[in-house]
Amino acid sequence: MDATALWQRYQKWLYFHEGLGFYLDVSRMGFDDDFFEKLQPSFDQAFADMAELEKGAIANPDEERMVGHYWLRNPDLAPTPEVTQEIVSNIEKIEVFAEKIHTGAIHPPKAPRFTDIISIGIGGSALGPQFVAQALVTDYPPLAIHFIDNSDPAGIDRVLTHLRNRLSSTLVLVISKSGGTPEPRNAMLEVKKAYSGQNLDFAQYAIAITMPGSKLSQVGESEGWLAHFPMYDWVGGRTSEMSAVGLVPAALQGIDIGQMLDGAKEMDDATRVPDVKNNPAALLALAWHYAGNGRGEKDMVVLPYKDSLLLFSRYLQQLVMESLGKEKDLDGNIVHQGIAVYGNKGSTDQHAYVQQLRDGVANFFLTFIEVLEDRKGSSLEVEPGTTSGDYLSGFLQGTRKALYENQRDSITVTIPQVNPRTVGALIALYERAVGFYASLVNVNAYHQPGVEAGKKAAAAILELQKQAMSVLQAEENPLSLEEIASKAGASEDIESIYIILRHLHANGRGVVMEGNFAQPSSLKFSIG
């Protein structure tokens, strides 16, 4: 396509939202008008599906659960006055609590102010708050945040060691919808022990963010924790950033949660327009469908050209992959849907994997995230008439052009600056795009059977560990793996027993291994 035709295509497909200063360019995706017209009936259905969802339709028949994250930034849309009032009251409660923490009206027993936060969560209870903190926290926030988002003992130790001299002024957020998820429970117990080790009453530092009546809620209430904030059954983890999950840590860090909610609400309004060309989320879904033939045949590479948006690709990994990665469609057919997401940031990736993107396997489409504002204030000219920000913009444009010349598709999302309003808008944009795309390919974006299967498998492994240790503790003589498996009634799980016992041995947990370590079947195990 010659330059004139390409310029005309750019103008034809460019979306602009004046209120948000937001642009979306899909002109470098190779679809034509015929493709667009063929998908129009599917989009009509997607618009209708989304309207029903927002009215409170059951999105998960297997769980009898609504999906209402859109109500969080526009409570008037909630299906009952009670839900509306609950959302409004909770936001007010968060703002009042954060203000009391900032002023010292609520303070730790041994210090005039809280200085830090440990945020304990997994998946959606961590990725959204991490992204928002990286994107929006100021250089000197009222409280500095530290995340424990895994069951990695060394990772937990690193956070606690870093805070060892400030633990007495550190709040702890424990975020878990059910309160029974192992990773946050494990971290909570480890952190609780650290507080006890400094003779600190954990309850006076702990905040529960969970569903009312959950295991975590019961623990917090029985121990008299400092505060409780509710999670809702109708908000999934990957769409929970605008709930207490994301708003509590953001408010405590001094981030304007009202602006985040306003930005999300304004983007929600824009993505309700039942016209693909005038709906940015629908345009994204159109581009994704084209790129992967509606089958996820190409990966989504996300390159934000701004350091503060580094974690956006990680946030989108969960939102997109957990929502769209499904074995079966809504009719029960095996379809193996999904779109893989990865990314880092520009222009770092000019010197990393952009080489492959341009010249290697064409198994991806790229999304550039452009931020118009370079920095607050004026910039040094590193060359006459040229600043560092000019270079960053040039790298983005140059990469986009080079990729297009080699028939690599790309999307460009442009925001005026990184602030609470635009970050809220980006989150809302992709939440809606995922919903539209799921409707186009006929999958349920709001359940996660694969995640539940993994949890059950992990629980089975831990039960097998108990069985294997029980066998060893009952024997005086060393046993082979086959003998342990047979006595444990788990002859089909010899490999799992080997890996379990090797892990226990490596951590000084009382398991003795003897024999040729390169030949597991030769090993003998005992309790030492």
Side-chain angles (χ1 to χ4, degrees), residues 310-515:
L310 170 65
L311 297 183
F312 192 44
S313 61
R314 283 188 64 197
Y315 170 76
L316 290 180
Q317 279 177 342
Q318 182 186 26
L319 177 63
V320 175
M321 296 174 72
E322 192 171 348
S323 297
L324 302 180
K326 301 295 159 65
E327 179 184 34
K328 296 180 180 179
D329 67 13
L330 291 171
D331 301 317
N333 302 310
I334 303 293
V335 292
H336 296 297
Q337 275 287 358
I339 301 176
V341 180
Y342 66 93
N344 186 9
K345 67 177 180 182
S347 64
T348 297
D349 292 321
Q350 305 289 133
H351 306 277
Y353 55 71
V354 165
Q355 167 63 34
Q356 176 170 314
L357 298 184
R358 187 183 188 280
D359 294 345
V361 183
N363 61 347
F364 69 93
F365 63 99
L366 203 141
T367 300
F368 294 100
I369 310 292
E370 177 186 25
V371 181
L372 294 178
E373 181 183 80
D374 291 337
R375 59 155 51 102
K376 300 294 182 185
S378 59
S379 288
L380 169 76
E381 291 189 357
V382 295
E383 295 173 5
T386 306
T387 67
S388 298
D390 296 338
Y391 264 99
L392 189 66
S393 180
F395 285 136
L396 187 158
Q397 294 181 59
T399 303
R400 175 174 173 270
K401 187 173 188 293
L403 290 172
Y404 181 76
E405 289 171 349
N406 246 23
Q407 292 79 54
R408 268 63 168 164
D409 289 328
S410 71
I411 299 164
T412 302
V413 172
T414 301
I415 57 176
Q417 58 183 203
V418 179
N419 60 39
R421 204 156 161 269
T422 57
V423 167
L426 283 176
I427 290 170
L429 171 69
Y430 278 87
E431 285 177 350
R432 184 85 63 166
V434 161
F436 283 146
Y437 183 89
S439 185
L440 294 180
V441 300
N442 196 38
V443 299
N444 186 343
Y446 306 105
H447 71 162
Q448 47 283 331
V451 174
E452 300 308 316
K455 289 179 180 178
K456 290 177 182 177
I461 291 292
L462 294 171
E463 182 58 35
L464 184 60
Q465 176 174 312
K466 293 177 183 177
Q467 294 168 358
M469 287 299 289
S470 179
V471 168
L472 285 178
Q473 288 163 351
E475 295 288 332
E476 293 184 3
N477 298 317
L479 299 176
S480 68
L481 287 167
E482 289 78 5
E483 290 170 333
I484 297 168
S486 176
K487 290 178 180 291
S491 295
E492 302 298 315
D493 288 318
I494 294 177
E495 181 179 311
S496 294
I497 290 173
Y498 163 66
I499 294 171
I500 287 167
L501 295 178
R502 183 181 65 183
H503 173 253
L504 294 174
H505 169 77
N507 285 278
R509 303 276 296 282
V511 173
V512 177
M513 285 173 55
E514 298 175 292

Side-chain angles (χ1 to χ4, degrees), residues 42-54:
S42 297
F43 268 110
D44 291 340
Q45 183 61 51
F47 290 135
D49 290 345
M50 189 62 69
E52 289 303 307
L53 188 77
E54 289 197 316

Side-chain angles (χ1 to χ4, degrees), residues 217-237:
S217 176
Q218 292 170 18
V219 169
E221 289 174 4
S222 66
E223 295 181 359
W225 284 17
L226 183 62
H228 297 256
F229 294 94
M231 296 174 73
Y232 307 115
D233 181 60
W234 37 266
V235 176

